[in-house]
Amino acid sequence: MNKLSVRDLDVKGKRILIRTDFNVPLDKKGEIIDIIRITSSIPTIKNVIDRGGRAILISHLGRAKGEVIEGLRMNKVAEKLEVALGKKIKKLNDCIGTSVEMSVAGMKDGDVILLENVRFYNEEEDNDPEFAQKLAKLCDYYVNDAFSVSHRAHASVVGVTKFVSKAAAGLLMEKEIKYLGQAVQNPKRPFLVILGGSKVSDKIEIFKHLLHKVDTFLIGGGMAYTFLKSQGILTGDSLVEKDKLDVANEILENVKKNHSKIILPVDHIIADEFSKTANSRVQDEKSIPDGWRGMDIGPKTIELFKKEIEKANTILWNGPVGVYELPQFKNGTIALAKLLAESKATTIIGGGDSAAAIHDSNVEDKITHISTGGGASLEFLEGKSLPGIEALSDIEGRKIFIAGNWKMNTLQKDARILINGIKEKTDGFKNIDIAFIPPYTHLFLMQDILKDSNIKFGAQNMYFEEKGAYTGEISPLMLKDLGCTYVIIGHSERRKYFNENDELLNKKIKSALKHGLFPIYCVGETQEERDKNLHQKVVEKQLINGLTGITSDEIKKITIAYEPVWAIGTGKNATPEQAEEMHKFIRNRISVIYDEEISSNVRIQYGGSVTSENVADILKQENIDGALVGGASLKIDTFSDLLKIANNL
Ligand code: 13P
């Protein structure tokens, strides 16, 4: 996902407006029937308040159509929310205006306010800019956690984002995008898609969008009869979309051309009328006689579907395979729910009756993801962009990061001149991140001279323990205490002269992260290893070992530095193409260990004889995000020239 996440927001002391979907089902007396939408929003609310943010929640409930309807106030939601959250919240009687602003102004860190039903104002559905601005006025940042309304361009979903400095996705929203978006776009094969529901016309766009990605389609529900009829098979009185027979035929042809499979029911449960008291029986073949209609898939079809489910590694299911609202015809759908629960695959449910079947079978916890969005999930699966997601702030791209590794060079007086000189010459460089990595002995000086500067600094090494009898070592706590941001881990000179191995480096990385330091983890091969064509294998091993146990949140804090040992201090730098080839390889490996989105955000520096002459060509490569500079960082002019070139790129 290239959108900002609530996790990226610094929420401490800030007012965060969270658009939730509290549109819960109500019974005739106005009591809440199901609280899943309330409980699904808890992780995002907790994420904000547990970090000292102030959560202001806004949602719609029912179809208020611009009028205040007593039965649609958020009071009952507030009661359930308090229980689910285990915390007192304040429910207000409006969602904009002076009294709301005053209540928000009185909030303390960790407080939660629930605003009144936003659809009491027509301006919400009209996406009225003035109204959106009034909502935005309540907060510092906005978070959208209501995936299920994100296909609507309403004021609390889209308009408000225009008037806030940051608009981020909530955790539920992220989960929906992860499974309905990434898992479906980049599935682990075989990829099986089960489509049901009454009409082919509702699913045409899904077929079109997913056709090239899917290995097998299983078709059930009313739409199966249109497909069967399009093949000349008798369907009796079953529901058939006569005007979609050509489309159904075309889909079958395209699936064949694409070398994927589509499996239609081979037997049915049929009934003599569409009612719960109808006579019904198993029809043991594809065709259905006149006077009878198909109502559910039959036992042979369930067996056939079972075989495909067992083979799949990713399964997406949307729509019931029988008439789910009539109890005697829900067996096929329930059987599928159970089969999916037993499957080893990543299982994704696209909402509606298929989700109900999962709940009714009590297997929610055995399913990877059950989407909370009905219309929104359909549009997403059709490949459409949802206005509520589009409106969120984009993540900044990978900013160039240049670090000067001074190694074991400079005495205090040289260090002072060097820091001051470069600081002065690079004042106002906004396009790059800069760091000095001096010997430990100059860290105190750095802390003093760089206190008001954008230039950060760090250490060349650390031990993984916090303190104790480790003579000669420096701990992460000491580095933090001196104001360090970064620490280099696993420089090839430490691997070579001090026998540091991947296992030790992995401990150091974990310890650095634990104490809030950003590791720069060095990898790279020797000349001999490159000559033997082992360079990728060597780097892959260093990556896998060094990153063992590092979570996907932690990897975002690590910079990888590719430093081919043969290019360090030798004046013999890798060509930009050689460097790019390895950087691409590294990014690819990270995407295998984590995922593509994470790997596309990880910064990878190049190091090895980088100078002001070659830095531009190196940084122009797609996967190179900066440089770890040795020798050339020790002279004011050379390093500031190099930084200037990088800043101007
Ligand atoms: P040189 O730039 O001197 O080759 O050193 C590279 C390096 O090892 C940086 O960490």
Side-chain angles (χ1 to χ4, degrees):
M1 190 181 75
N2 58 352
K3 296 293 180 185
L4 207 63
S5 156
V6 63
R7 290 172 296 125
D8 301 322
L9 299 179
D10 185 5
V11 297
K12 173 99 184 96
K14 299 276 195 318
R15 298 159 303 149
I16 315 295
L17 180 68
I18 308 176
R19 175 55 158 107
T20 50
D21 180 5
F22 289 152
N23 184 26
V24 289
L26 302 172
D27 65 13
K28 288 199 184 92
K29 286 193 209 130
E31 296 299 326
I32 296 173
I33 302 170
D34 186 307
I35 59 162
I36 181 89
R37 287 198 155 145
I38 296 176
T39 48
S40 308
S41 71
I42 299 295
T44 300
I45 302 172
K46 273 194 181 289
N47 180 287
V48 168
I49 59 176
D50 288 353
R51 291 188 293 139
R54 304 164 186 198
I56 306 151
L57 315 177
I58 186 161
S59 172
H60 73 284
L61 173 59
R63 292 170 189 230
K65 294 268 164 223
E67 276 176 48
V68 177
I69 297 175
E70 287 307 316
L72 294 180
R73 285 198 181 273
M74 304 300 285
N75 301 11
K76 295 253 162 67
V77 171
E79 284 166 22
K80 299 279 184 205
L81 183 61
E82 272 191 352
V83 176
L85 201 55
K87 183 180 169 67
K88 265 235 132 335
I89 64 165
K90 192 168 176 185
K91 151 78 187 32
L92 305 185
N93 284 329
D94 207 338
C95 63
I96 50 165
T98 320
S99 87
V100 174
E101 283 165 26
M102 276 166 59
S103 298
V104 168
M107 287 175 91
K108 294 198 207 60
D109 293 356
D111 279 356
V112 181
I113 277 184
L114 174 61
L115 301 176
E116 189 52 277
N117 190 342
V118 68
R119 288 203 190 156
F120 285 177
Y121 287 91
N122 263 331
E123 289 88 337
E124 160 68 353
E125 295 195 43
D126 293 346
N127 199 16
D128 179 86
E130 253 175 62
F131 180 72
Q133 200 166 6
K134 285 182 190 157
L135 292 176
K137 210 172 154 192
L138 301 175
C139 70
D140 297 296
Y141 304 136
Y142 166 83
V143 170
N144 184 353
D145 209 24
F147 173 79
S148 44
V149 283
S150 291
H151 55 319
R152 309 268 180 231
H154 293 174
S156 69
V157 180
V158 173
V160 63
T161 62
K162 309 276 183 297
F163 304 102
V164 293
S165 61
K166 285 182 186 173
L171 300 180
L172 177 62
M173 170 72 97
E174 273 194 299
K175 203 166 165 240
E176 295 277 9
I177 297 174
K178 176 171 173 193
Y179 287 110
L180 293 181
Q182 287 143 18
V184 169
Q185 293 312 316
N186 208 353
K188 195 162 168 225
R189 291 177 179 282
F191 180 23
L192 178 72
V193 171
I194 309 170
L195 292 176
S198 52
K199 292 186 188 157
V200 179
S201 46
D202 289 344
K203 305 283 156 76
I204 295 172
E205 293 305 317
I206 298 191
F207 273 114
K208 276 194 197 154
H209 182 60
L210 294 182
L211 181 66
H212 297 285
K213 302 190 172 83
V214 176
D215 296 291
T216 307
F217 287 99
L218 306 180
I219 306 297
M223 68 191 238
Y225 310 113
T226 304
F227 276 105
L228 290 169
K229 183 90 180 175
S230 80
Q231 300 301 288
I233 293 162
L234 298 176
T235 53
D237 298 350
S238 305
L239 173 86
V240 167
E241 283 175 280
K242 293 209 179 70
D243 58 335
K244 291 291 175 298
L245 291 171
D246 288 350
V247 175
N249 207 8
E250 200 182 314
I251 291 172
L252 292 172
E253 286 299 311
N254 285 339
V255 169
K256 213 188 285 166
K257 265 192 227 147
N258 193 47
H259 303 293
S260 26
K261 251 191 322 186
I262 188 161
I263 300 179
L264 301 172
V266 291
D267 64 347
H268 316 273
I269 306 295
I270 55 173
D272 57 357
E273 60 178 23
F274 191 94
S275 84
K276 60 174 182 221
T277 52
N279 293 310
S280 68
R281 64 174 172 83
V282 174
Q283 170 74 357
D284 196 22
E285 55 180 299
K286 273 189 203 168
S287 62
I288 297 172
D290 282 346
W292 293 83
R293 59 181 71 216
M295 301 291 271
D296 195 1
I297 53 173
K300 271 199 212 156
T301 308
I302 295 178
E303 270 310 301
L304 197 59
F305 284 10
K306 181 175 175 209
K307 290 206 179 85
E308 295 299 327
I309 291 170
E310 282 168 354
K311 277 190 269 177
N313 275 320
T314 307
I315 305 175
L316 168 71
W317 178 23
N318 181 281
V321 291
V323 183
Y324 196 72
E325 64 269 31
L326 301 181
Q328 57 171 324
F329 307 113
K330 56 162 52 172
N331 287 351
T333 305
I334 294 284
L336 273 194
K338 291 188 176 145
L339 288 171
L340 256 67
E342 285 162 15
S343 150
K344 62 179 189 313
T346 298
T347 44
I348 305 157
I349 312 297
D353 283 340
S354 12
I358 297 288
H359 296 305
D360 294 348
S361 315
N362 247 329
V363 291
E364 288 103 320
D365 54 347
K366 301 214 168 66
I367 299 294
T368 316
H369 180 65
I370 304 171
S371 176
T372 51
S377 4
L378 273 188
E379 290 196 20
F380 208 56
L381 290 172
E382 288 169 357
K384 291 188 187 140
S385 57
L386 306 188
I389 298 179
E390 284 305 301
L392 300 176
S393 315
D394 290 324
I395 293 174
E396 275 184 32
R398 304 187 305 258
K399 197 170 179 184
I400 290 180
F401 174 27
I402 311 278
N405 174 11
W406 294 8
K407 307 193 178 180
M408 199 175 74
N409 292 298
T410 66
L411 298 177
Q412 257 205 76
K413 74 170 179 354
D414 316 313
R416 191 181 292 276
I417 296 170
L418 196 50
I419 310 166
N420 278 318
I422 293 168
K423 185 178 160 218
E424 193 179 309
K425 291 208 170 202
T426 57
D427 189 33
F429 283 14
K430 293 236 157 40
N431 302 329
I432 54 174
D433 288 335
I434 307 173
F436 293 133
I437 317 284
Y440 293 129
T441 46
H442 304 327
L443 289 176
F444 189 64
L445 197 63
M446 291 272 169
Q447 189 179 32
D448 185 33
I449 298 178
L450 297 176
K451 61 177 175 294
D452 303 316
S453 162
N454 282 337
I455 300 178
K456 304 270 190 295
F457 61 94
Q460 298 172 17
N461 179 34
M462 57 163 246
Y463 195 52
F464 62 83
E465 294 286 358
E466 287 178 8
K467 60 178 182 173
Y470 304 100
T471 304
E473 291 298 315
I474 300 282
S475 90
L477 286 180
M478 295 168 183
L479 298 182
K480 253 334 243 188
D481 191 36
L482 281 172
C484 284
T485 302
Y486 298 101
V487 57
I488 297 181
I489 308 259
H491 193 283
S492 63
E493 288 148 15
R494 294 215 58 88
R495 291 181 189 257
K496 181 173 166 194
Y497 300 120
F498 304 97
N499 294 325
E500 295 200 355
N501 59 27
D502 290 345
E503 197 189 331
L504 172 72
L505 300 175
N506 178 250
K507 285 189 185 157
K508 291 190 179 192
I509 293 178
K510 286 180 175 158
S511 168
L513 289 165
K514 182 174 166 205
H515 294 97
L517 291 163
F518 293 91
I520 300 174
Y521 178 49
C522 298
V523 295
E525 79 287 358
T526 61
Q527 183 69 59
E528 198 189 347
E529 287 159 344
R530 183 163 273 266
D531 291 345
K532 288 189 187 151
N533 204 22
L534 290 173
H535 47 299
Q536 292 192 338
K537 269 217 167 80
V538 169
V539 168
E540 180 174 32
K541 190 161 160 259
Q542 292 168 340
L543 278 178
I544 292 174
N545 293 344
L547 299 178
T548 300
I550 301 296
T551 66
S552 32
D553 272 340
E554 289 171 335
I555 182 73
K556 294 177 185 163
K557 298 179 181 143
I558 300 176
T559 301
I560 308 287
Y562 169 55
E563 297 207 315
V565 181
W566 48 272
I568 296 178
T570 56
K572 188 166 98 177
N573 64 302
T575 63
E577 293 73 28
Q578 273 174 326
E580 168 62 13
E581 185 190 36
M582 182 61 91
H583 280 234
K584 197 168 168 189
F585 173 77
I586 293 172
R587 203 172 297 289
N588 180 281
R589 300 324 292 161
I590 293 176
S591 87
V592 174
I593 305 174
Y594 299 94
D595 63 35
E596 208 161 312
E597 186 208 326
I598 289 175
S599 88
S600 67
N601 287 311
V602 167
R603 288 201 289 198
I604 313 175
Q605 291 179 317
Y606 170 77
S609 301
V610 177
T611 62
S612 50
E613 267 93 58
N614 59 24
V615 71
D617 286 340
I618 290 172
L619 293 182
K620 275 182 198 150
Q621 303 301 313
E622 192 183 331
N623 288 292
I624 303 185
D625 312 311
L628 186 53
V629 185
S633 71
L634 290 166
K635 291 199 186 85
I636 298 177
D637 288 342
T638 328
F639 197 45
S640 48
D641 279 355
L642 188 155
L643 293 171
K644 189 169 169 192
I645 293 167
N647 188 58
N648 290 342
L649 268 184

